[in-house]
């Protein structure tokens, strides 16, 4: 029997740094799970706002854990903070490699990679790219990865989301056990809409030709929730999908099984156009206590022309009415001060409230 060549894969240590807020980062949890599945080690440090001794605590964490890579998942509001922390790390530990992922480096890659303190950026969905990068940091053609010298294209999107490992909740829970009461979950990736202000609009253009809206099977989601319920004993669930209710048949199957096998209160996010009496009744019966919907502006004209949303005040009012009748708390997402918006738009409620309420 011919012996195969033995490859000794280096096990890397990867430290995530995240600003401490009320929720954990699902993106980081999925990336950590992917790394651990491949045998790598991960850890996390949270940075609390106005924390006096963060730099001292960060130095101790780096010395104790000795990471090969320090990783940031960066949204626009965290970008300058992430750069300042990265500069401090490079000043103290010049050999540590720093990776930026998230929507900021994805949407503005040239600007982000130009920073001296950023060694790599991962564009788009990084579940596969992060593993390939930490295992082959000198490789020049890793899809989704940019360096100072190399600009690589995107790899095809993951289609079967059931193949993903469940998110690494322990990463955040050991640092912030208060998060365990509400289990944060997502049942899919992508959104069917292209609102002008949303990151989905940017990513859909980048991934043109790929199937952007993908969803896990009902059974896969239920298995995660059963596993987490046994391990963490959560009290409620928050589904973070951009549009939880976009497939009526999926919702019908999910609510039926969820009520039987999970049975804890939950909240979700939806486009108002998908909220009809039948769907809301199923959600309420399964345990839905709160629904967030988008309105953005009381002006139909501005919503259509500026936000590129084609739902109307009439559709929004109808959705709110159905939710309130079912005694589901309604949270309305809004953007104040949109271009061309005037105070009169708020005083008149868009001009058509009386005719539909």
């Amino acid at each position: 029997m011919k012996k195969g060549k033995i490859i000794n894969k280096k096990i890397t240590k990867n430290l995530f740094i995240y600003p401490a807020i009320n929720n954990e980062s699902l993106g980081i949890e999925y990336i950590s799970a992917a790394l651990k599945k491949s045998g790598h080690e991960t850890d996390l440090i949270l940075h609390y706002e106005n924390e006096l001794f963060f730099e001292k605590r960060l130095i101790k964490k780096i010395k104790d854990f000795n990471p090969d890579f320090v990783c940031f998942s960066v949204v626009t509001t965290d970008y300058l903070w992430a750069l300042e922390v990265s500069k401090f790390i490079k000043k103290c530990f010049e050999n540590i490699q720093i990776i930026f992922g998230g929507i900021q480096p994805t949407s503005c890659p040239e600007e982000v990679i130009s920073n001296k303190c950023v060694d790599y950026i991962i564009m788009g969905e990084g579940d596969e790219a992060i593993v390939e990068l930490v295992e082959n940091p000198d490789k020049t053609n890793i899809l989704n990865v940019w360096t100072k010298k190399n600009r690589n294209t995107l790899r095809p999107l993951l289609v079967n989301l059931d193949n993903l490992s469940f998110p690494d909740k322990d990463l955040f829970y050991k640092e912030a056990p208060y998060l365990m009461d509400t289990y944060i979950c997502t049942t899919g990736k992508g959104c069917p809409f292209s609102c002008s202000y949303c990151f989905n609009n940017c990513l859909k253009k980048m991934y043109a030709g790929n199937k952007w809206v993908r969803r896990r099977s009902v059974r896969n989601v239920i298995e995660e929730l059963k596993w987490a319920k046994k391990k963490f004993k959560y009290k409620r669930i928050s589904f973070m999908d951009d549009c939880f209710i976009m497939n009526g048949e999926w919702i019908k199957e999910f609510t039926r099984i969820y009520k039987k096998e999970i049975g804890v209160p939950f909240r979700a996010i939806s486009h108002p156009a998908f909220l009809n009496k039948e769907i809301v009744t199923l959600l309420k019966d399964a345990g839905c206590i709160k629904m967030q919907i988008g309105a953005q502006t009381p002006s139909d004209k501005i919503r259509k022309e500026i936000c590129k949303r084609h739902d109307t005040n009439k559709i929004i009012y109808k959705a709110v009415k159905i939710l309130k009748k079912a005694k589901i708390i309604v949270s309305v997402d809004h953007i104040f001060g949109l271009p061309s918006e005037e105070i009169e738009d708020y005083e008149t409620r868009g001009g058509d409230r009386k005719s539909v309420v």
Side-chain angles (χ1 to χ4, degrees), residues 37 91 107 151 188 278 286 312:
K37 184 179 181 180
K91 180 181 177 181
S107 57
R151 308 289 196 263
E278 178 188 14
T312 62

Short mmCIF file of all heavy atoms in Angstrom, two decimals, residues 37 91 107 151 188 278 286 312:
data_model
loop_
_atom_site.label_atom_id
_atom_site.label_comp_id
_atom_site.label_asym_id
_atom_site.label_seq_id
_atom_site.Cartn_x
_atom_site.Cartn_y
_atom_site.Cartn_z
N LYS A 37 -14.00 24.36 13.61
CA LYS A 37 -14.28 23.13 12.87
C LYS A 37 -13.02 22.63 12.15
O LYS A 37 -12.83 21.42 11.98
CB LYS A 37 -15.41 23.39 11.86
CG LYS A 37 -15.84 22.15 11.09
CD LYS A 37 -16.97 22.48 10.13
CE LYS A 37 -17.42 21.24 9.36
NZ LYS A 37 -18.54 21.56 8.43
N LYS A 91 1.62 48.77 17.40
CA LYS A 91 2.66 49.49 18.15
C LYS A 91 3.28 48.59 19.21
O LYS A 91 4.50 48.63 19.45
CB LYS A 91 2.05 50.74 18.78
CG LYS A 91 3.03 51.57 19.59
CD LYS A 91 2.35 52.78 20.20
CE LYS A 91 3.30 53.59 21.06
NZ LYS A 91 2.62 54.76 21.69
N SER A 107 -17.41 47.03 1.27
CA SER A 107 -17.93 48.10 0.43
C SER A 107 -16.87 49.15 0.08
O SER A 107 -17.00 49.84 -0.92
CB SER A 107 -19.12 48.79 1.12
OG SER A 107 -18.74 49.27 2.40
N ARG A 151 -5.31 41.69 -5.08
CA ARG A 151 -6.74 41.99 -5.09
C ARG A 151 -7.46 40.79 -5.72
O ARG A 151 -7.46 40.64 -6.94
CB ARG A 151 -7.03 43.26 -5.89
CG ARG A 151 -6.20 44.48 -5.51
CD ARG A 151 -6.63 45.01 -4.16
NE ARG A 151 -6.14 46.35 -3.93
CZ ARG A 151 -5.04 46.64 -3.25
NH1 ARG A 151 -4.28 45.66 -2.77
NH2 ARG A 151 -4.68 47.89 -3.04
N GLY A 188 -31.34 32.31 7.69
CA GLY A 188 -30.92 32.38 6.29
C GLY A 188 -30.00 33.54 6.03
O GLY A 188 -29.58 34.26 6.95
N GLU A 278 -53.38 35.52 7.97
CA GLU A 278 -53.04 34.10 8.14
C GLU A 278 -51.65 33.93 8.74
O GLU A 278 -51.47 33.16 9.71
CB GLU A 278 -53.11 33.37 6.80
CG GLU A 278 -52.74 31.89 6.89
CD GLU A 278 -52.63 31.22 5.53
OE1 GLU A 278 -52.58 31.93 4.51
OE2 GLU A 278 -52.57 29.97 5.50
N ALA A 286 -47.51 30.52 17.56
CA ALA A 286 -46.22 29.86 17.82
C ALA A 286 -45.43 30.54 18.93
O ALA A 286 -44.47 29.98 19.45
CB ALA A 286 -45.39 29.83 16.54
N THR A 312 -46.26 50.97 0.48
CA THR A 312 -46.94 52.25 0.67
C THR A 312 -47.41 52.40 2.10
O THR A 312 -47.41 51.43 2.88
CB THR A 312 -48.15 52.36 -0.26
OG1 THR A 312 -49.09 51.32 0.09
CG2 THR A 312 -47.74 52.19 -1.72
#
